[in-house]
Every structure is written in C-alpha cells, then in structure tokens.
Amino acid sequence: MSRKKDLIGKKDLSGKKDLIGKKDPTGATGQQTAIFLLLFTLITLLILYSSNTSRESFQFSALKVKHRQPPNFKRVDIRSGYLPVRGNKTLHLHCQRCVVITSSSHLIGSHLGATIDDSECTVRMNDAPTTGYEKDVGSKTTFRVVAHSSVYRVLRRPQEFLNKTQETTLIFWGPPNKLQEGSKGGLLRVIQHTTGPFPNVAAYVVSPGKMKTFDDLFRGETGKDREKSRSWLSTGWFTMGIAMELCDRVHVYGMVPPNYCSRRAAVHKLAYHYYEPKGPDECTTYIQNERSRRGSHHRFITEKLVFAHWASLYNITFSHPRWFQDQ
Ligand SMILES: *[C@@H]1O[C@H](CO)[C@@H](O)[C@H](O)[C@H]1NC(C)=O
Ligand SMILES: *[C@@H]1O[C@H](CO)[C@@H](O)[C@H](O)[C@H]1NC(C)=O
Ligand SMILES: *[C@@H]1O[C@H](CO)[C@@H](O)[C@H](O)[C@H]1NC(C)=O
C-alpha cells in the first residue's frame, strides 16, 4: 500500500518535470502550461483516489474496531429477513438460551455432548455432523446455518442433516444471484426438492436485503467495506448475527479468541474442522486468510475482534477455549 503510493508519487514528479521541460522551450504560453499542470494534477489525484478506495486491505490484528452506535439485533424484522423456502411461514423461533457449536476441533475430547444437548437451542454450521461425535458435540440441532457453497454437502446426506433431530431449522445464506427464486444453478429448487419429504425441517434463505444488512454490519464494525476490501463473510459471521437476533443469551463452544493464533506458545496444530481431522490446520487457515491480499478471503480474525466487542455489549460467553478471565 505505502509502496504503491511511493511509486505513484515518483512517477508523478518526473511526469511533471517532463511536461514543463517540453512545453517551455517551444514557447507555449504560461496559460497552456497552467492548464496542462491542472489537468495533470487532476488525473494524478484521480489515480491516487481510486487506488486508495479499491485497495483497502487488512492488517493482521491491527484493526481498530470503531466504537460507534452498537448494533441493535433485537430491532430487526425477522419476517422480511428470512424467506421460507416453501410456503409463507415465518421464522418465529425465539430462544432464551442458545449454544453455538463451532466446527473447530476444540471440542474433541471435551465430553460436552450431554451438556450441549441440555441447552434450549443449539446452533450448528454447514455440514458439521453429529453422528460419531455425539459424546463431544451433542446431537441436537435446532438451527443449522449453511453457506451457499455447502448446500450440496448438506443435502446429499439427508439422514444426517434433515432427518436426525425432531425439529430442525435450516438457514441458508449466499449472494442473491445464487439463492433466490429463478437464480442460476437452481440452488433454491434443489433445496425445495430435497427438504420436501421431511416435514420436521423448516428451511429459510437469508433475503437479499438482509444479506446487505450483514455487509453493513461488517462495515459498521470494522470500518472496511466488505467488497472493496475483498472480504468474504464467514458462516461464523452469519451464525453469530443470527444467534444474536434469535436468542437472548448465547454461549459459544469451540471458537478461539482473536489473539489465539498470534500467541506463539499456544500454537499447536489443530484441525480447522473436527470432522476433517486430516484437513487444514485452524491457525494456518485463519492467518493465511486474514493476511491474504490476492483475491477474496475470509477475515476470520477480524470477525472475532468484532465478536469480542459484541461480548462486551450483549449476553455472549465463550468457552473451549475461554475468552475472558471472568467467564
Ligand atoms: C399463507 O398461505 C396459506 C395457504 O397456503 C393462506 O391461507 C394464508 O392466508 C397465507 N398467510 C399469509 C400471511 O400470507
Ligand atoms: C427418517 O428417519 C426415520 C427413522 O429414524 C425413517 O423411518 C424415515 O423413513 C426417514 N424419513 C425419510 C423421508 O427418509
Ligand atoms: C441478558 O439476558 C437476560 C435474560 O437472561 C436479559 O434480561 C438481559 O436484558 C440481557 N442483557 C442484554 C445486554 O442483552
């Protein structure tokens, strides 16, 4: 970023010299020179401006979360935010106590399954299964928040994800061009068709307006425009936002605090997903995504800084690992 500015600055100076040098000896009037200089300055400013706005980037753990008006999760219109996949139902569920079970490996060996299943409402993400992991992650799923990119991974195992708990509500999120009626790829049709035979399943899609609200939330909390900073929101971001809307209190199991991966001593390898023990390492995935400038990436660590901020305002607690000494 600063190197880029330097480069532009240098070009700028030498460019100006060239212009002046050529024009003066040929006897151009001072007016012409002035106009050239003015145009040149304007163009340079334009270049600088556009390079500044399109190249916002993330500095690992250097985010200053703006302490502005806190987001109000309770004053949201649930009806227009979550569109039923079939019919005209409204997402009416409200829970006093929710637990969010992340897909990370931190719960493996925890024997928390029974405690988790005792919770009023449990929230899981994407294709994190419970079969075979019940002892540690429990088996009840009240809500499952699913990214557009995980739709097939969930739907191709209906007995695991659609027919396991008595009542389950799936909430799909994704760009409007992928998940709305008549969109390319027909993802919505596939969801309708696959969930149809399961009367115990309620399925909703995050509405286009609500998707924008999640982007606005990211901008409000980080000061960064999601698209300009080439960030992808994670399913964790949607899950935390949705949990804040639907639950009075939220306890999060298995999410690491923002500084976890930068504390040298604490970093030992741990699978990013408990159900993919040979898969990528959690901290490596977080750090690579957070730092990457090429293409679009998840900002997992920035998102956790925001969650820490929310925890100072709302009823959110974290364990396995614990985030704060007093919880
Ligand atoms: C929902 O749909 C049913 C029929 O499928 C209809 O009777 C009812 O009026 C609808 N409710 C609303 C609020 O649109
Ligand atoms: C759901 O699971 C039950 C057994 O738990 C089975 O009897 C039923 O056929 C399944 N439903 C579908 C639609 O697969
Ligand atoms: C925390 O939850 C309790 C109910 O358990 C509620 O009365 C209180 O208003 C909540 N506090 C905040 C800040 O949301």
Side-chain angles (χ1 to χ4, degrees):
M1 176 86 199
S2 61
R3 250 178 65 195
K4 196 165 171 76
K5 256 192 201 155
D6 271 7
L7 276 174
I8 293 169
K10 270 176 203 152
K11 247 191 230 154
D12 173 4
L13 274 178
S14 58
K16 260 182 203 161
K17 264 186 211 148
D18 270 9
L19 263 180
I20 297 166
K22 271 179 200 151
K23 283 292 160 190
D24 273 352
T26 55
T29 65
Q31 247 180 345
Q32 270 176 319
T33 313
I35 290 170
F36 263 107
L37 275 176
L38 188 69
L39 274 176
F40 196 86
T41 313
L42 280 175
I43 290 167
T44 310
L45 280 176
L46 202 72
I47 290 169
L48 276 175
Y49 176 76
S50 61
S51 76
N52 263 344
T53 50
S54 67
R55 290 241 160 205
E56 272 188 81
S57 58
F58 274 89
Q59 283 285 301
F60 177 59
S61 74
L63 179 82
K64 288 176 204 75
V65 173
K66 291 193 178 144
H67 288 268
R68 35 135 236 160
Q69 193 87 345
N72 189 337
F73 294 104
K74 300 301 172 204
R75 216 189 296 142
V76 294
D77 181 5
I78 301 278
R79 178 181 287 273
S80 65
Y82 304 96
L83 309 175
V85 162
R86 267 188 315 274
N88 57 9
K89 282 176 295 181
T90 304
L91 179 56
H92 58 88
L93 264 174
H94 177 88
C95 309
Q96 286 175 331
R97 285 170 178 273
C98 290
V99 296
V100 169
I101 302 102
T102 72
S103 306
S104 79
S105 301
H106 294 270
L107 293 189
I108 296 302
S110 68
H111 299 277
L112 278 165
T115 312
I116 288 171
D117 282 343
D118 270 347
S119 316
E120 184 192 355
C121 296
T122 61
V123 190
R124 299 180 197 273
M125 301 180 212
N126 292 327
D127 58 331
T130 53
T131 301
Y133 303 95
E134 293 91 342
K135 192 162 46 86
D136 295 326
V137 306
S139 58
K140 186 166 93 178
T141 306
T142 316
F143 299 106
R144 185 176 288 276
V145 181
V146 180
H148 58 104
S149 50
S150 288
V151 167
Y152 285 105
R153 277 194 286 268
V154 167
L155 297 184
R156 76 175 172 221
R157 293 172 68 190
Q159 299 309 323
E160 173 68 34
F161 296 116
L162 307 178
N163 198 20
K164 194 141 183 237
T165 5
Q166 294 238 301
E167 297 282 324
T168 199
T169 296
L170 301 177
I171 302 175
F172 295 93
W173 70 269
N177 67 354
K178 294 226 164 98
L179 273 181
Q180 299 308 311
E181 197 79 61
S183 60
K184 264 196 226 160
L187 219 45
L188 188 65
R189 281 280 202 77
V190 174
I191 297 170
Q192 287 167 339
H193 183 76
T194 316
T195 56
F198 300 96
N200 57 318
V201 172
Y204 295 86
V205 167
V206 177
S207 72
K210 187 76 184 178
M211 286 301 296
K212 195 178 162 301
T213 308
F214 277 107
D215 278 354
D216 293 345
L217 187 62
F218 185 79
R219 191 175 45 245
E221 296 294 295
T222 66
K224 302 257 185 212
D225 183 88
R226 184 189 64 75
E227 284 186 58
K228 284 180 188 155
S229 65
R230 293 184 298 181
S231 304
W232 282 329
L233 298 178
S234 74
T235 298
W237 180 262
F238 286 91
T239 303
M240 290 297 284
I242 291 169
M244 294 308 296
E245 291 180 6
L246 303 180
C247 317
D248 292 336
R249 309 182 76 98
V250 177
H251 183 81
V252 184
Y253 284 109
M255 187 184 283
V256 300
N259 63 351
Y260 180 85
C261 292
S262 56
R263 286 196 319 237
R264 264 163 235 140
V267 180
H268 57 282
K269 290 212 181 286
L270 206 57
Y272 171 56
H273 286 155
Y274 65 80
Y275 50 96
E276 295 171 333
K278 297 224 167 80
D281 169 63
E282 179 178 52
C283 277
T284 308
T285 306
Y286 283 180
I287 291 171
Q288 278 176 357
N289 269 279
E290 189 76 14
R291 288 182 176 163
S292 191
R293 304 277 164 87
R294 281 207 185 155
S296 292
H297 288 276
H298 288 299
R299 309 302 178 183
F300 292 114
I301 296 171
T302 297
E303 288 183 356
K304 285 167 181 57
L305 283 169
V306 174
F307 301 155
H309 176 217
W310 292 352
S312 69
L313 300 166
Y314 307 109
N315 286 323
I316 311 178
T317 49
F318 298 88
S319 71
H320 306 82
R322 222 164 43 147
W323 282 33
F324 307 106
Q325 287 310 315
D326 56 347
Q327 287 185 353

